[in-house]
Amino acid sequence: MTATEPSTEDTTDRGAAAEGAANGASGSGLPSVLSSPWFVPSILQSVNYRDGMTHPSPSPVHERYAARIVDQTAQLTATVKGADASAPVPGCPGWTLAHLLRHVGGTHRWAETIVRTQATEPVPDEQVNDVTPEADDDIDSLSAWLTDGAARFAETLRSTDPDVRVWTVAPGGNPAFWARRMTYETVVHRFDATAAVGATYTLDADVAIDGLDEWIWLSTLPQAFPSEAEYAALLGPGRSIHFHATDAPEGTGEWLIDLSEAPSTWSHAHKKATAAVRGPLADLLLLLYRRRTPTPADGIEVLGDEALFTDWIQGAGAWLRR
């Protein structure tokens, strides 16, 4: 592929609109959680637990994600209330709503086990992958089970030392990785549930921005790709991909992925790029998770080297298909 520079307003170098820290494959943990200008954790003195006791909150980051996991789960269960558990899920071929709820609840419990036990090696993930519905599964019982699992995970996060080392599937090695990962597992599958019942999906801007941060950070890791060769094939002098969220708050919503050499890096910047992708925040996030297509019909505009973008999103999203 030949690197080209689109002669469009979106890819004209107008300076950095939202310059941030670049995060490459050699980065440790989740630096954007702590450094993003829009991610300013509130100072929390204490939180209330289901046992009725009040405990100190060890980590504002944990509290932020714990609250998001509970909130996204509540929105998901509200969306499917009264639905048929056997309704098909368009974003997950072969799955029904029962499969979907079992999967989301299983991932919450899996991550909770990793954090609670401070596991330093992989934990059995049958609940994540074995999601065959039981004969008596119904939306009410599955929703209650899902709600309980999210609440337990949130409590575990709130009561866990943020500096504890745990096994993670990517650089991080701390509970914050799982707090963030399970937030967006829930965010995207809430969309799947919404599509299954024909409802309208909305997503808060700060949640969508952080979700884009996480996905794009993961895309810079060579191990996210199917092979070293496919990762290397994307790299080349001057190659880059720029994302612009058309509805982001001023000073946010810009991502630049530098593919000029290994390791690839990303930053919050608006600069001239080989390919540029424009669209609303939620649609950009859903595009990365393959719930949207890069077409005007789905609210997405791709400018410049479309082939580079197609190859990049296919390769960088391989971790989702494992």
Side-chain angles (χ1 to χ4, degrees):
M1 293 174 290
T2 302
T4 60
E5 294 183 350
S7 57
T8 65
E9 181 182 23
D10 188 74
T11 50
T12 300
D13 188 0
R14 294 173 293 186
E19 192 75 41
N23 300 285
S26 60
S28 60
L30 302 171
S32 60
V33 172
L34 302 176
S35 63
S36 296
W38 48 79
F39 193 94
V40 182
S42 57
I43 299 174
L44 301 168
Q45 300 299 321
S46 63
V47 292
N48 291 321
Y49 287 73
R50 295 193 305 171
D51 59 11
M53 298 178 65
T54 300
H55 306 276
S57 174
S59 169
V61 172
H62 283 193
E63 173 57 32
R64 176 64 61 90
Y65 285 121
R68 285 181 176 175
I69 289 165
V70 170
D71 173 64
Q72 291 295 318
T73 300
Q75 290 189 58
L76 193 162
T77 57
T79 294
V80 300
K81 186 175 179 60
D84 184 345
S86 65
V89 179
C92 305
W95 276 14
T96 65
L97 281 174
H99 289 90
L100 182 73
L101 296 185
R102 280 189 168 273
H103 171 71
V104 177
T107 58
H108 289 169
R109 284 166 168 77
W110 178 63
E112 190 274 338
T113 299
I114 294 168
V115 175
R116 174 172 45 80
T117 65
Q118 298 178 25
T120 56
E121 57 185 27
V123 168
D125 59 0
E126 289 86 356
Q127 289 188 91
V128 177
N129 298 314
D130 185 5
V131 296
T132 304
E134 301 288 343
D136 59 350
D137 275 350
D138 59 55
I139 288 295
D140 287 345
S141 61
L142 288 171
S143 292
W145 177 76
L146 178 56
T147 298
D148 181 70
R152 290 181 183 278
F153 184 38
E155 288 180 11
T156 295
L157 288 171
R158 288 166 171 152
S159 61
T160 298
D161 183 337
D163 295 324
V164 163
R165 305 306 294 172
V166 300
W167 171 78
T168 55
V169 296
N174 55 45
F177 174 90
W178 291 114
R180 195 186 204 192
R181 183 81 293 277
M182 290 302 105
T183 294
Y184 297 103
E185 181 79 8
T186 313
V187 163
V188 173
H189 285 315
R190 179 170 70 81
F191 169 79
D192 292 328
T194 303
V197 300
T200 300
Y201 182 80
T202 59
L203 187 62
D204 290 345
D206 59 338
V207 178
I209 288 170
D210 186 55
L212 283 156
D213 274 5
E214 189 217 28
W215 201 102
I216 290 171
W217 167 66
L218 287 168
S219 82
T220 65
L221 305 177
Q223 59 265 42
F225 288 76
S227 68
E228 246 181 76
E230 289 189 53
Y231 175 69
L234 288 169
L235 306 178
R239 283 185 177 173
S240 59
I241 298 174
H242 175 254
F243 284 86
H244 172 69
T246 55
D247 61 344
E250 186 177 355
T252 67
E254 304 278 357
W255 293 264
L256 183 74
I257 302 156
D258 185 350
L259 299 171
S260 59
E261 60 183 0
S264 58
T265 60
W266 72 275
S267 62
H268 289 296
H270 189 123
K271 294 181 180 179
K272 191 178 295 184
T274 311
V277 187
R278 294 170 51 90
L281 277 166
D283 292 319
L284 290 180
L285 183 62
L286 294 171
L287 170 69
L288 295 180
Y289 281 94
R290 311 306 289 269
R291 267 63 171 186
R292 289 281 188 268
T293 60
T295 62
D298 272 350
I300 308 292
E301 183 182 19
V302 180
L303 307 167
D305 191 339
E306 294 186 32
L308 174 63
F309 172 72
T310 299
D311 290 343
W312 173 82
I313 197 170
Q314 176 68 20
W319 61 274
L320 290 170
R321 301 185 288 275
R322 291 174 186 158

